Amino acid sequence: MTDHLNKRSFITGVAATLFAPSVLRADPGDLNPVRRNATSFTAQHWQDHFDTLGKAAIVADTTSRALHFWSGDGQTYNVYPTSVPRSDELTKRGYTKIVRKRVGPDWTPTPSMVERDPDLKYMPPGPGNPLGTHAMYLSWPAYLIHGTHDTRKIGRQSSDGCIGLYNHMIEALYQIAPIGTQVRIL
């Protein structure tokens, strides 16, 4: 009889484990998965950040991981999902502007990046380049709004300081954001 109860207890325990909701079986380390955050954008209004639209305006919201663009005439308002810096220490906040743009950017790691990973080297334009297909350089050194070939980064804290967009979205933004566009990083 004891043998029969032990088998029944074992089978009941296995069945409960197999059919229990995954949350009950989850490893505590899995309860806080990486959030891609592609749908929880916070609405922004350009008037909350700038006195005028000027040539155009961009607000990059690092909390909701979204870039908001307004054309200078106020007729166009677009929101793009982004990647953001992986830590507060890498996040530069404040006002800047687009000072230069480039299709097919090349990439050189910053000294702090090489310090963290000595294997990083210069990369010409192409599929392995972390800047993707288009880049818009800001007045802050080594800080850009650019594309990425690694689409897993979008919606995450994954960059070393820059704001990243899907390549097709940076291409569209590149076409409508002129040099001189005012930018605020939140």
Side-chain angles (χ1 to χ4, degrees), residues 145-180:
I145 298 171
H146 62 80
T148 181
H149 297 295
D150 187 352
T151 59
R152 298 170 298 171
K153 291 183 172 189
I154 304 302
R156 295 182 177 182
Q157 292 179 291
S158 59
S159 80
D160 280 298
C162 296
I163 303 297
L165 283 77
Y166 291 113
N167 278 329
H168 70 282
M169 291 182 176
I170 189 65
E171 183 178 357
L173 180 61
Y174 184 97
Q175 299 300 320
I176 60 176
I179 290 175

Side-chain angles (χ1 to χ4, degrees), residues 43-54 56-59 68-77 95 182 184 186:
Q44 297 289 337
H45 303 282
W46 69 265
Q47 298 90 339
D48 295 338
H49 306 284
F50 305 102
D51 292 332
T52 68
L53 281 171
I58 288 175
V59 171
H68 303 259
F69 170 83
W70 296 268
S71 61
D73 63 7
Q75 297 300 304
T76 302
Y77 171 65
Y95 290 91
Q182 56 193 340
R184 182 172 188 197
L186 302 175

